[in-house]
Amino acid sequence: MLRTLVPPEVKEECERHLRQTACTDNDLQFLPMCGTHAEKIGEVTQSVGVELYFGFVKRAGALFIFLFTLSAPMLVLNIMGGMINSVNNLQQGLASTSVANLGHCPAIGCRSLEEVEQRCLYEQGHCTGEDGRSQVRDVTEVLGFLDGLTVVAFMVFAIYSVQFWIPRVVYAFDQAHLTPADYSVTVKHCPRYLGSDPLSEEHAQYEQKMKEHFLRLLRERAEEGEEISDDAIVSVALVRDYYNAV
């Protein structure tokens, strides 16, 4: 195997480029994987979208841990049940986690609606509720409340994120950082082409014509004595929408 020797100066340049384009601080030191907050990542990347992504992942992870805690009692009781009987181990394992497996019927099975309603929670047999053994209906209200609470918690999280958290993060980011959006203008509904057709010479100068147009507007609205240089508009980028296919 032949090894290509990389000159030291090229290796140093590659290392410098890597650090300049990675998540590094002002001293070009890599940010730690643990302990770096989403706000810091947004500051380094100068991207509110990246900050929102990592902040959402963190909050969503905490939410699902909370939801799992609320759902764990029902999951455990379902697995402990004995209502499902299947010859297929995979089907048996999956079905045992559902509410259909909650509780135990007597060894001969539940032969009436009363026996189904009064079936034992932990063990086989006929539970009257007076023998100290818990029935399924003793915990259904609590399990239903926990299940409803998980739905409410998820809805509150979604509404709070959309209506409050995301706008607050975007506003704080915009106030703290200078981004291209602060000195850029989006112009919609521009003419599809200039001149007689898209192949005309005038249409080929679309960007230049746009720049000249906005420079003229700036100079018309400039205060007396204020000079607008030709570099006031740095660049013009055209994004063509082909029936919603950019």
Side-chain angles (χ1 to χ4, degrees):
M1 179 182 297
L2 297 178
R3 298 182 59 185
T4 303
L5 297 178
V6 180
E9 58 275 11
V10 175
K11 186 176 181 180
E12 292 178 2
E13 182 65 26
C14 293
E15 177 72 17
R16 183 165 53 253
H17 175 75
L18 172 64
R19 292 181 177 273
Q20 290 175 345
T21 56
C23 287
T24 54
D25 56 20
N26 294 332
D27 298 326
L28 298 182
Q29 299 299 318
F30 290 107
L31 299 178
M33 295 185 62
C34 299
T36 302
H37 300 287
E39 294 80 3
K40 183 63 176 179
I41 298 177
E43 176 185 349
V44 171
T45 60
Q46 291 290 293
S47 172
V48 66
V50 175
E51 179 179 339
L52 285 172
Y53 169 78
F54 283 100
F56 177 79
V57 169
K58 177 182 177 180
R59 286 165 174 77
L63 171 69
F64 285 117
I65 291 176
F66 175 70
L67 298 183
F68 174 77
T69 303
L70 296 178
S71 304
M74 176 178 286
L75 179 62
V76 172
L77 292 177
N78 290 342
I79 295 175
M80 294 174 59
M83 299 295 292
I84 302 296
N85 186 18
S86 176
V87 295
N88 187 293
N89 292 332
L90 177 60
Q91 295 178 358
Q92 177 72 25
L94 294 176
S96 64
T97 62
S98 68
V99 71
N101 197 49
L102 184 62
H104 293 269
C105 279
I108 58 175
C110 295
R111 298 191 174 186
S112 65
L113 180 60
E114 181 182 2
E115 290 184 350
V116 173
E117 294 178 348
Q118 297 181 356
R119 67 185 187 272
C120 295
L121 182 61
Y122 301 111
E123 56 189 0
Q124 289 185 345
H126 181 69
C127 298
T128 62
E130 300 176 355
D131 53 3
R133 294 189 296 177
S134 300
Q135 296 178 324
V136 170
R137 62 183 181 182
D138 294 334
V139 297
T140 51
E141 291 185 2
V142 177
L143 296 179
F145 173 77
L146 292 177
D147 189 50
L149 189 59
T150 58
V151 177
V152 173
F154 182 82
M155 293 178 62
V156 170
F157 172 81
I159 295 174
Y160 172 78
S161 298
V162 173
Q163 298 296 330
F164 299 99
W165 178 68
I166 293 178
R168 179 174 58 83
V169 172
V170 172
Y171 177 79
F173 183 90
D174 186 62
Q175 295 298 312
H177 304 286
L178 182 65
T179 61
D182 295 320
Y183 49 84
S184 300
V185 177
T186 300
V187 181
K188 298 182 179 180
H189 308 294
C190 296
R192 289 186 175 273
Y193 56 86
L194 300 180
S196 58
D197 57 75
L199 300 179
S200 64
E201 182 179 353
E202 187 177 4
H203 182 73
Q205 301 176 354
Y206 206 123
E207 290 88 345
Q208 182 62 29
K209 295 290 186 180
M210 288 283 289
K211 183 175 181 179
E212 294 174 356
H213 172 71
F214 283 104
L215 281 174
R216 183 170 63 254
L217 292 179
L218 288 175
R219 286 165 179 160
E220 290 176 356
R221 289 162 174 76
E223 297 181 357
E224 185 177 355
E226 182 182 3
E227 295 184 0
I228 304 297
S229 66
D230 294 339
D231 298 329
I233 298 178
V234 178
S235 64
V236 176
L238 295 181
V239 179
R240 293 179 171 84
D241 183 4
Y242 296 98
Y243 301 100
N244 297 324
V246 177

Short mmCIF file of all heavy atoms in Angstrom, two decimals, residues 70-71 73-75 77-78 99 102 136-153:
data_model
loop_
_atom_site.label_atom_id
_atom_site.label_comp_id
_atom_site.label_asym_id
_atom_site.label_seq_id
_atom_site.Cartn_x
_atom_site.Cartn_y
_atom_site.Cartn_z
N LEU A 70 -45.81 8.52 33.10
CA LEU A 70 -47.25 8.44 33.29
C LEU A 70 -47.84 7.16 32.73
O LEU A 70 -48.82 6.63 33.26
CB LEU A 70 -47.94 9.65 32.63
CG LEU A 70 -47.61 11.03 33.21
CD1 LEU A 70 -48.33 12.11 32.42
CD2 LEU A 70 -47.97 11.10 34.68
N SER A 71 -47.26 6.64 31.65
CA SER A 71 -47.79 5.43 31.00
C SER A 71 -47.23 4.15 31.59
O SER A 71 -47.78 3.07 31.29
CB SER A 71 -47.48 5.48 29.50
OG SER A 71 -47.97 6.66 28.91
N PRO A 73 -47.29 2.70 34.65
CA PRO A 73 -48.16 1.82 35.45
C PRO A 73 -49.07 0.95 34.59
O PRO A 73 -49.20 -0.26 34.84
CB PRO A 73 -48.96 2.80 36.31
CG PRO A 73 -48.07 4.00 36.43
CD PRO A 73 -47.38 4.10 35.11
N MET A 74 -49.69 1.54 33.58
CA MET A 74 -50.56 0.74 32.71
C MET A 74 -49.76 -0.31 31.94
O MET A 74 -50.20 -1.45 31.79
CB MET A 74 -51.32 1.65 31.74
CG MET A 74 -52.18 0.87 30.75
SD MET A 74 -53.13 1.92 29.64
CE MET A 74 -54.40 2.50 30.76
N LEU A 75 -48.58 0.07 31.45
CA LEU A 75 -47.76 -0.88 30.71
C LEU A 75 -47.37 -2.07 31.58
O LEU A 75 -47.45 -3.23 31.15
CB LEU A 75 -46.50 -0.18 30.18
CG LEU A 75 -45.52 -1.04 29.40
CD1 LEU A 75 -46.18 -1.59 28.14
CD2 LEU A 75 -44.27 -0.24 29.04
N LEU A 77 -48.93 -3.21 34.33
CA LEU A 77 -50.11 -4.02 34.64
C LEU A 77 -50.56 -4.82 33.43
O LEU A 77 -51.05 -5.95 33.57
CB LEU A 77 -51.23 -3.11 35.14
CG LEU A 77 -51.00 -2.46 36.51
CD1 LEU A 77 -52.14 -1.52 36.86
CD2 LEU A 77 -50.83 -3.52 37.60
N ASN A 78 -50.43 -4.24 32.24
CA ASN A 78 -50.79 -4.99 31.03
C ASN A 78 -49.89 -6.22 30.86
O ASN A 78 -50.37 -7.31 30.54
CB ASN A 78 -50.67 -4.10 29.80
CG ASN A 78 -51.74 -3.02 29.76
OD1 ASN A 78 -52.75 -3.11 30.44
ND2 ASN A 78 -51.49 -1.99 28.97
N VAL A 99 -53.91 -3.02 26.48
CA VAL A 99 -54.90 -3.03 27.56
C VAL A 99 -55.79 -4.27 27.49
O VAL A 99 -56.44 -4.63 28.48
CB VAL A 99 -55.74 -1.74 27.49
CG1 VAL A 99 -56.66 -1.77 26.28
CG2 VAL A 99 -56.53 -1.52 28.76
N LEU A 102 -55.09 -6.84 30.24
CA LEU A 102 -55.18 -6.38 31.63
C LEU A 102 -56.06 -7.32 32.45
O LEU A 102 -57.21 -7.58 32.10
CB LEU A 102 -55.75 -4.96 31.67
CG LEU A 102 -55.83 -4.28 33.04
CD1 LEU A 102 -54.43 -4.11 33.62
CD2 LEU A 102 -56.52 -2.93 32.91
N VAL A 136 -59.72 -5.43 38.50
CA VAL A 136 -59.31 -4.53 37.43
C VAL A 136 -60.02 -3.19 37.54
O VAL A 136 -59.42 -2.12 37.36
CB VAL A 136 -59.57 -5.17 36.05
CG1 VAL A 136 -59.38 -4.15 34.93
CG2 VAL A 136 -58.65 -6.36 35.83
N ARG A 137 -61.32 -3.23 37.88
CA ARG A 137 -62.08 -1.99 37.94
C ARG A 137 -61.65 -1.09 39.10
O ARG A 137 -62.05 0.07 39.16
CB ARG A 137 -63.56 -2.30 38.04
CG ARG A 137 -63.99 -3.06 39.27
CD ARG A 137 -65.47 -3.36 39.19
NE ARG A 137 -65.94 -4.07 40.36
CZ ARG A 137 -67.22 -4.47 40.50
NH1 ARG A 137 -68.10 -4.21 39.54
NH2 ARG A 137 -67.61 -5.13 41.58
N ASP A 138 -60.83 -1.61 39.99
CA ASP A 138 -60.32 -0.78 41.08
C ASP A 138 -59.28 0.23 40.60
O ASP A 138 -59.04 1.24 41.27
CB ASP A 138 -59.70 -1.64 42.19
CG ASP A 138 -60.73 -2.52 42.88
OD1 ASP A 138 -61.92 -2.14 42.88
OD2 ASP A 138 -60.34 -3.58 43.41
N VAL A 139 -58.65 -0.05 39.47
CA VAL A 139 -57.57 0.83 38.98
C VAL A 139 -57.89 1.47 37.64
O VAL A 139 -57.09 2.26 37.14
CB VAL A 139 -56.25 0.03 38.85
CG1 VAL A 139 -55.80 -0.50 40.19
CG2 VAL A 139 -56.39 -1.11 37.84
N THR A 140 -59.03 1.14 37.05
CA THR A 140 -59.32 1.67 35.71
C THR A 140 -59.45 3.20 35.72
O THR A 140 -59.03 3.86 34.76
CB THR A 140 -60.61 1.05 35.17
OG1 THR A 140 -61.66 1.17 36.15
CG2 THR A 140 -60.40 -0.41 34.82
N GLU A 141 -60.01 3.77 36.77
CA GLU A 141 -60.15 5.22 36.82
C GLU A 141 -58.79 5.90 36.88
O GLU A 141 -58.55 6.90 36.19
CB GLU A 141 -61.00 5.63 38.02
CG GLU A 141 -62.47 5.24 37.90
CD GLU A 141 -63.28 5.78 39.06
OE1 GLU A 141 -62.70 6.47 39.92
OE2 GLU A 141 -64.50 5.51 39.09
N VAL A 142 -57.90 5.34 37.69
CA VAL A 142 -56.55 5.92 37.80
C VAL A 142 -55.81 5.78 36.48
O VAL A 142 -55.16 6.72 36.00
CB VAL A 142 -55.77 5.26 38.94
CG1 VAL A 142 -54.35 5.80 39.00
CG2 VAL A 142 -56.48 5.48 40.26
N LEU A 143 -55.88 4.60 35.87
CA LEU A 143 -55.18 4.39 34.60
C LEU A 143 -55.75 5.28 33.51
O LEU A 143 -55.01 5.83 32.68
CB LEU A 143 -55.28 2.92 34.19
CG LEU A 143 -54.59 1.90 35.10
CD1 LEU A 143 -54.79 0.49 34.58
CD2 LEU A 143 -53.11 2.21 35.26
N GLY A 144 -57.07 5.44 33.49
CA GLY A 144 -57.67 6.34 32.50
C GLY A 144 -57.27 7.79 32.70
O GLY A 144 -57.03 8.52 31.74
N PHE A 145 -57.16 8.20 33.98
CA PHE A 145 -56.73 9.57 34.27
C PHE A 145 -55.30 9.79 33.81
O PHE A 145 -54.98 10.82 33.20
CB PHE A 145 -56.85 9.83 35.77
CG PHE A 145 -56.28 11.15 36.20
CD1 PHE A 145 -56.97 12.33 35.98
CD2 PHE A 145 -55.02 11.21 36.81
CE1 PHE A 145 -56.43 13.55 36.36
CE2 PHE A 145 -54.49 12.42 37.19
CZ PHE A 145 -55.19 13.59 36.97
N LEU A 146 -54.41 8.82 34.07
CA LEU A 146 -53.02 8.96 33.64
C LEU A 146 -52.92 8.99 32.12
O LEU A 146 -52.12 9.74 31.55
CB LEU A 146 -52.19 7.81 34.21
CG LEU A 146 -51.99 7.80 35.73
CD1 LEU A 146 -51.21 6.56 36.15
CD2 LEU A 146 -51.28 9.06 36.19
N ASP A 147 -53.73 8.17 31.45
CA ASP A 147 -53.71 8.15 29.99
C ASP A 147 -54.18 9.48 29.42
O ASP A 147 -53.60 10.02 28.47
CB ASP A 147 -54.59 7.01 29.49
CG ASP A 147 -54.44 6.79 27.99
OD1 ASP A 147 -53.30 6.69 27.51
OD2 ASP A 147 -55.47 6.75 27.29
N GLY A 148 -55.24 10.04 30.00
CA GLY A 148 -55.71 11.35 29.55
C GLY A 148 -54.71 12.44 29.84
O GLY A 148 -54.56 13.39 29.07
N LEU A 149 -54.01 12.31 30.97
CA LEU A 149 -53.01 13.32 31.33
C LEU A 149 -51.86 13.34 30.33
O LEU A 149 -51.29 14.40 30.04
CB LEU A 149 -52.48 13.03 32.74
CG LEU A 149 -51.59 14.12 33.36
CD1 LEU A 149 -52.33 15.44 33.44
CD2 LEU A 149 -51.12 13.69 34.74
N THR A 150 -51.49 12.17 29.79
CA THR A 150 -50.43 12.14 28.78
C THR A 150 -50.84 12.91 27.53
O THR A 150 -50.03 13.63 26.93
CB THR A 150 -50.08 10.70 28.41
OG1 THR A 150 -51.25 10.04 27.91
CG2 THR A 150 -49.55 9.92 29.61
N VAL A 151 -52.12 12.76 27.12
CA VAL A 151 -52.60 13.47 25.94
C VAL A 151 -52.60 14.98 26.19
O VAL A 151 -52.17 15.78 25.35
CB VAL A 151 -54.01 12.98 25.56
CG1 VAL A 151 -54.55 13.78 24.37
CG2 VAL A 151 -53.99 11.50 25.22
N VAL A 152 -53.09 15.39 27.37
CA VAL A 152 -53.13 16.81 27.70
C VAL A 152 -51.72 17.38 27.77
O VAL A 152 -51.46 18.50 27.27
CB VAL A 152 -53.87 17.01 29.03
CG1 VAL A 152 -53.77 18.47 29.48
CG2 VAL A 152 -55.33 16.61 28.90
N ALA A 153 -50.79 16.64 28.37
CA ALA A 153 -49.41 17.13 28.48
C ALA A 153 -48.79 17.32 27.10
O ALA A 153 -48.09 18.32 26.85
CB ALA A 153 -48.57 16.15 29.30
#
